[in-house]
Amino acid sequence: MAPTLMHMAYVMWLENQAYQPTPSPTPVPPGPEPIILPPRTYRAKYMITEEMLDELEMSYEDAVETLTTPSILAEIYELEESQVSVSVVENSKPSLVVDVTLDTEDWYRTYTGIEYSFLAFADTSSVADMESMFQGCTLLTSIPQLDTSNVTSMYGMFRDCTSLTSIPQLDTSNVTSMTRMFWGCTSLTSIPQLDTSNVTDMEDMFWGCTSLTSIPQLDTSNVTTMYDMFRDCTSLTSIPQLDTSNVTNTSFMFYRCTSLTSIPRLDTSNVTKMNTMFRGCTSVEAGMLDFYNNAVVARSYSDCFTNCGYNPETGEYASEQAKIERSQIPVYWGGDMKK
């Protein structure tokens, strides 16, 4: 009962580090004083509604007691009662704000871990927007199964989740934006098959996923921008065939994908910007020429193949074929052929 109540009622969890004043190089307008909490303390804000109380068959007073009793919280956190203390900051029905102190060296992992475990109780079937839902959750290694059947935006959903190694199968059939969805997920090695048939924007989708070695086949038939899509995916060795027939911007798409060895033929008939698209893909052995011949309609293409198939530090080509192909691509595309 207590974990269910905590999940249903909580509005915001605030921890000390997030509310320290941040030095600014330029003057900023005066704002509210930052919340400075004691060590090992977080602040929880709850909204205890009548509907919630009816569902749980509790009174408001019982709910407050549940959320402020150290012995109950200690059981949830798997600590001794003596390690938990609670002080009420505000009790103004239906709002309850409390400060909870956990006397444990691992307090931060303890409270963030229990916070995310609440997601197992969550009914997300009506949620349409999961933008930045887990952004910056650097301790998060996995998430429970979520009902995402009505979600239309996953913009930045897992951005900078640097410890996240995998995600469950998600229903993405209604999602239209996956911009920055996995940006900076440096520990993510693979992703499940995703329904991307309605997605129109994949900008920055996998930027900086340095451990990602492959991706599943994606339906990209409605995507219009792939700007920075795989930028700095340094472990990515190959990509599946992508439908790029509606894409207009592929700039920086594979920038510094240093392990990528080949380039599939991509439909660039509608692409107008492909600057620096393959720059720094030093391991590409073949496919540049096919791509170049299929991409002449692009109006913006500077540095597209700069250091592609060529390592400037060693002066070596990725293969003899890469050397041949680069010799046939003009220098303003980043190849070796003179104008």
Side-chain angles (χ1 to χ4, degrees):
M1 180 70 72
T4 306
L5 172 64
M6 292 180 75
H7 165 70
M8 292 176 67
Y10 92 91
V11 176
M12 190 177 299
W13 296 60
L14 313 180
E15 49 94 1
N16 196 45
Q17 288 87 333
Y19 289 85
Q20 297 287 1
T22 302
S24 174
T26 57
V28 295
E33 289 296 317
I35 299 173
I36 306 298
L37 302 175
R40 301 180 185 177
T41 299
Y42 69 85
R43 176 164 293 180
K45 180 177 182 180
Y46 302 100
M47 292 296 290
I48 307 171
T49 64
E50 290 297 332
E51 293 80 6
M52 188 186 306
L53 294 172
D54 290 342
E55 182 175 340
L56 297 175
E57 298 181 346
M58 299 178 71
S59 67
Y60 180 80
E61 291 71 22
D62 289 340
V64 172
E65 182 178 358
T66 299
L67 296 171
T68 57
T69 300
S71 60
I72 295 177
L73 297 181
E75 184 176 350
I76 294 174
Y77 285 100
E78 299 182 348
L79 297 173
E80 298 296 327
E81 182 177 348
S82 60
Q83 293 178 281
V84 179
S85 61
V86 185
S87 61
V88 177
V89 179
E90 175 191 335
N91 183 3
S92 179
K93 188 178 180 179
S95 175
L96 174 69
V97 180
V98 297
D99 284 351
V100 181
T101 301
L102 306 176
D103 186 14
T104 170
E105 292 294 333
D106 205 19
W107 80 275
Y108 186 83
R109 186 176 295 274
T110 299
Y111 108 76
T112 51
I114 202 73
E115 177 184 352
Y116 293 121
S117 74
F118 291 158
L119 287 170
F121 296 92
D123 178 4
T124 55
S125 58
S126 298
V127 176
D129 189 343
M130 289 190 172
E131 181 174 328
S132 304
M133 184 173 179
F134 300 99
Q135 181 172 333
C137 296
T138 57
L139 298 179
L140 195 64
T141 58
S142 63
I143 61 170
Q145 187 66 54
L146 300 174
D147 185 342
T148 55
S149 56
N150 285 306
V151 175
T152 58
S153 177
M154 291 186 172
Y155 181 106
M157 184 173 177
F158 302 103
R159 181 173 176 175
D160 290 327
C161 291
T162 53
S163 299
L164 190 66
T165 57
S166 64
I167 61 169
Q169 185 66 54
L170 300 173
D171 183 345
T172 55
S173 57
N174 288 308
V175 175
T176 58
S177 176
M178 289 187 173
T179 301
R180 301 175 184 173
M181 184 173 176
F182 301 103
W183 174 323
C185 292
T186 54
S187 299
L188 195 65
T189 57
S190 63
I191 60 169
Q193 185 68 53
L194 300 174
D195 183 346
T196 55
S197 57
N198 286 309
V199 176
T200 59
D201 193 336
M202 289 186 172
E203 181 175 324
D204 302 325
M205 184 173 176
F206 300 101
W207 184 346
C209 292
T210 54
S211 298
L212 194 65
T213 57
S214 63
I215 60 169
Q217 185 66 53
L218 300 175
D219 182 345
T220 55
S221 56
N222 286 307
V223 176
T224 58
T225 178
M226 292 184 174
Y227 179 92
D228 275 337
M229 185 173 175
F230 301 102
R231 180 171 180 165
D232 288 325
C233 290
T234 53
S235 298
L236 193 65
T237 57
S238 63
I239 58 169
Q241 185 64 53
L242 300 174
D243 183 345
T244 54
S245 57
N246 287 309
V247 176
T248 59
N249 190 345
T250 60
S251 294
F252 295 91
M253 184 174 174
F254 300 101
Y255 181 46
R256 286 197 299 244
C257 289
T258 53
S259 298
L260 192 66
T261 58
S262 62
I263 302 171
R265 178 176 279 268
L266 301 174
D267 182 348
T268 57
S269 57
N270 286 309
V271 176
T272 58
K273 295 181 180 180
M274 56 178 63
N275 304 74
T276 320
M277 184 174 178
F278 296 101
R279 180 170 184 164
C281 294
T282 55
S283 299
V284 168
E285 297 176 355
M288 286 179 283
L289 199 56
D290 282 343
F291 179 86
Y292 168 66
N293 290 333
N294 195 37
V296 292
V297 297
R299 295 193 294 272
S300 180
Y301 44 70
S302 62
D303 292 328
C304 185
F305 295 102
T306 298
N307 296 335
C308 184
Y310 174 76
N311 189 330
E313 295 182 3
T314 63
E316 296 178 350
Y317 290 87
S319 68
E320 193 61 34
Q321 181 62 29
K323 184 176 183 178
I324 294 173
E325 292 188 11
R326 285 184 58 83
S327 69
Q328 299 180 56
I329 297 175
V331 291
Y332 45 83
W333 278 75
D336 296 337
M337 186 175 75
K338 303 301 180 184
K339 296 182 181 180

